[in-house]
Amino acid sequence: MLGGGLIKEEEEDERMNDTVLVPPPNFSMVVDGIYRSAFPQSIHFSFLLSLNLKTIIYLCPEPYPETNLDFLRANNIRLLQFGIEGGKSEASESMPKQTITEALKVLIDVRNHPVLIHCNRGKHRTGCLVGCLRKLQNWCLSSVLEEYRHFAGIKARATDLKFIETFNTSLLRQCLYSLIYQYQGYGSNKRRLMYEEENLQQKSPTAKAL
């Protein structure tokens, strides 16, 4: 009986090792501890587990699927929803500045890391949020816009590019009072943005925690 039990455990370990980790479409690491992607499906859950996520920033207004919520609850991952309507064409309205600003506050707080940002396709809403983060990181504008185009492909929108170009990061800096660069762990010294004051970790009125 003992030998049979050991064989069964070894077979289970082998099956786990043989599990193929499938990332969501448009997946990429933004910086150490921040990831982006399209909407994850159940086939992607094993891959998400490998990221040891603490938070998901969801940029769509639609309710989160119950299957995904069950996965988050089972793995103690917090979901913060910033509902931004998805445009269908170039004529779509620009991104809501206040919502993007509130999402950025969550994104740059390292206490929420590792964090995954996603919308539906991982192109427009996610691309605008990442683009604004890049401006906060002092990337040159041409590189910021090129990254947006890389993920949006032929679906790149002039309204999104204009939004990123004109987004005023000083508004965010004023809200944060004292935003600093700090070298933070994960096994390597990466320059990370974080809040200086602990009391800035208050739930945003724009975000909906689920």
Side-chain angles (χ1 to χ4, degrees):
M1 289 295 294
L2 181 60
L6 290 174
I7 292 174
K8 185 176 181 180
E9 288 181 2
E10 290 176 356
E11 290 175 348
E12 290 176 351
D13 289 341
E14 288 177 0
R15 282 197 296 271
M16 290 183 66
N17 292 333
D18 291 339
T19 299
V20 177
L21 301 181
V22 181
N26 250 356
F27 175 83
S28 181
M29 183 169 69
V30 180
V31 295
D32 191 20
I34 300 179
Y35 307 94
R36 61 177 293 168
S37 76
F39 208 119
Q41 306 297 325
S42 56
I43 192 175
H44 309 126
F45 289 171
S46 294
F47 177 83
L48 295 186
L49 279 179
S50 71
L51 303 178
N52 298 311
L53 295 174
K54 290 178 64 177
T55 311
I56 285 182
I57 294 177
Y58 173 48
L59 300 176
C60 302
E62 294 80 14
Y64 218 56
E66 194 61 35
T67 300
N68 292 57
L69 286 174
D70 289 341
F71 168 76
L72 299 189
R73 294 187 194 107
N75 295 283
N76 197 30
I77 301 172
R78 183 172 61 150
L79 176 68
L80 293 177
Q81 181 174 5
F82 296 85
I84 300 174
E85 294 291 340
K88 300 295 184 181
S89 67
E90 283 287 353
S92 303
E93 293 184 4
S94 180
M95 294 287 162
K97 291 182 180 179
Q98 183 62 28
T99 305
I100 291 292
T101 298
E102 295 300 326
L104 274 171
K105 291 180 185 180
V106 173
L107 183 60
I108 63 178
D109 187 342
V110 297
R111 290 167 296 183
N112 296 318
H113 296 182
V115 56
L116 172 70
I117 314 159
H118 80 81
C119 50
N120 189 20
R121 303 294 182 185
K123 296 180 179 180
H124 305 115
R125 288 165 282 195
T126 298
C128 285
L129 180 59
V130 172
C132 294
L133 173 67
R134 296 307 194 192
K135 291 189 69 175
L136 201 59
Q137 292 179 305
N138 296 318
W139 276 35
C140 68
L141 183 60
S142 61
S143 295
V144 174
L145 300 183
E146 178 58 32
E147 182 180 42
Y148 169 89
R149 293 190 187 97
H150 171 77
F151 286 94
I154 62 173
K155 299 293 186 178
R157 294 175 181 160
T159 51
D160 289 348
L161 295 169
K162 187 66 175 178
F163 173 82
I164 296 170
E165 181 179 354
T166 59
F167 184 81
N168 187 355
T169 57
S170 67
L171 297 176
L172 179 61
R173 296 176 191 275
Q174 291 167 9
C175 291
L176 296 180
Y177 302 111
S178 52
L179 186 65
I180 61 172
Y181 283 108
Q182 175 168 315
Y183 285 87
Q184 189 78 0
Y186 295 116
S188 62
N189 288 330
K190 299 285 187 178
R191 193 168 69 168
R192 310 289 296 285
L193 288 166
M194 70 174 297
Y195 298 133
E196 186 176 19
E197 299 177 9
E198 288 292 319
N199 62 7
L200 290 176
Q201 177 64 8
Q202 298 175 350
K203 186 167 65 175
S204 161
T206 308
K208 181 170 62 176
L210 302 175

